[in-house]
Amino acid sequence: MAKRGGLVASLKAVAGDRTTQKVVERLFSHFPIRDGLERILQAREGALVVLGSNPDLQDISVDGLQIASRGFDAARLSEVAKMDGAIILDNSWKSILTANAHLSPPVDLPTTESGSRHRTAQRTASLTALPVVTVSQDRAVVTLYFNSEQVDLTPRWTIRRRILHHLQFLVVMRKRFDEAEEHLLRMEMLGLVTRRDVAHTLGLGELVVRAASGIEAMVVDSAQDPDTTAAVVADRVFEVEKLLQLTLRDYLDDQGDEARMALAGVPGHHLAHTWAVETEIGLSDVEGELVPRGHRLLYRTGVVTKRLREILLEDFSDAQALLHAPVERFMEVKGVGHKTATKLRRYFDRLLAAVHPIGQRVLTDRRESYNRLP
């Protein structure tokens, strides 16, 4: 029997046998079995589960507790696994037929295993052509035997836990990025932007993008709930990459694309240090007061196309000019009608109204700090 393991017992590891691949896919999409095996694994218990039943299996199965109830959950599977014998499921994998069963496959069937549970599982799979899963109590290893294949599934559970951990990190970082980007917007409207504000936002955004990419790579390798996980990742990384690009164009203009590549090359442990981000992307070389061009500001309005955004930025010098322009001024731009101009003005008015009390407090604090200087 061929043995396959490695870092990830992914679908690529069983690509040579499509039937085995389907069994692996079905196993990891079956939540009661998958989560039940994980409970057994975490509890450092052992188990032997036969995924299905047929006459060949019945011939070698004796004793056991017959379970008439239909359906089971992860807790039920882990509970019946505490008995020493095998667990036998029906062919739909929806019910536990027998628990604590004693399996006696012919001892002359070849096996590469040394432990009694794994020898029995391997011989049973060979005789019955049914998938058999074992959990090793001593080694905390989950193994699938099927179609002359032996697939180590343990790394999948390890990666699944890593995916959940990284998803939690992604949620936290996305929240921090949103807060930093909102703060940057407020400072832009007040004309109080610092290089630290910009670098802090960019560093957090890059961390979000990298976290999402890492999760997507793990999902591909492990086939863990790809649709659900992808939806969560897409939700958390939505628009972040776009906002990064627009922020770089706001402050570095034509050098924005080069700066984006430079940001992607910043070591992960340096992204939290604003000085490192400033230096790598060239922000520290920008002289004078930092005033955004307005790319991100117009994008956030949601009322102008990319082409119209470029036209507006050709006509307005920067974000401050956009923020305080009247409706009539917007209408002077080719392609901007009264409806669009009104929407822009109303959006900017809401932003300015929301930031006004904050601006007063920031300005007051700064004046007080200036007065305390010797």
Side-chain angles (χ1 to χ4, degrees), residues 2-58:
K3 184 173 182 177
R4 296 182 177 182
L7 177 62
V8 179
S10 65
L11 300 183
K12 293 180 289 186
V14 291
D17 191 325
R18 179 58 185 166
T19 307
T20 304
Q21 180 177 339
K22 288 182 177 180
V23 170
V24 174
E25 290 174 342
R26 184 181 175 190
L27 176 62
F28 275 89
S29 64
H30 194 295
F31 297 132
I33 297 177
R34 189 193 67 189
D35 294 346
L37 291 174
E38 183 168 0
R39 287 188 178 212
I40 297 168
L41 186 68
Q42 291 176 343
R44 305 291 292 189
E45 299 284 350
L48 189 158
V49 183
V50 184
L51 304 177
S53 180
N54 60 25
D56 289 334
L57 178 67
Q58 294 167 11

Side-chain angles (χ1 to χ4, degrees), residues 295-340:
H295 291 279
R296 201 174 84 264
L297 179 65
L298 284 174
Y299 175 77
R300 286 174 60 106
T301 66
V303 300
V304 295
T305 63
K306 180 180 179 181
R307 175 57 183 157
L308 187 54
R309 188 166 71 239
E310 297 295 337
I311 294 174
L312 282 165
L313 291 174
E314 289 176 2
D315 204 271
F316 288 86
S317 59
D318 53 43
Q320 284 293 326
L322 287 165
L323 280 168
H324 299 285
V327 171
E328 294 76 17
R329 177 67 180 87
F330 286 125
M331 292 179 63
E332 293 176 4
V333 179
K334 183 179 179 180
V336 178
H338 183 269
K339 184 177 181 180
T340 300

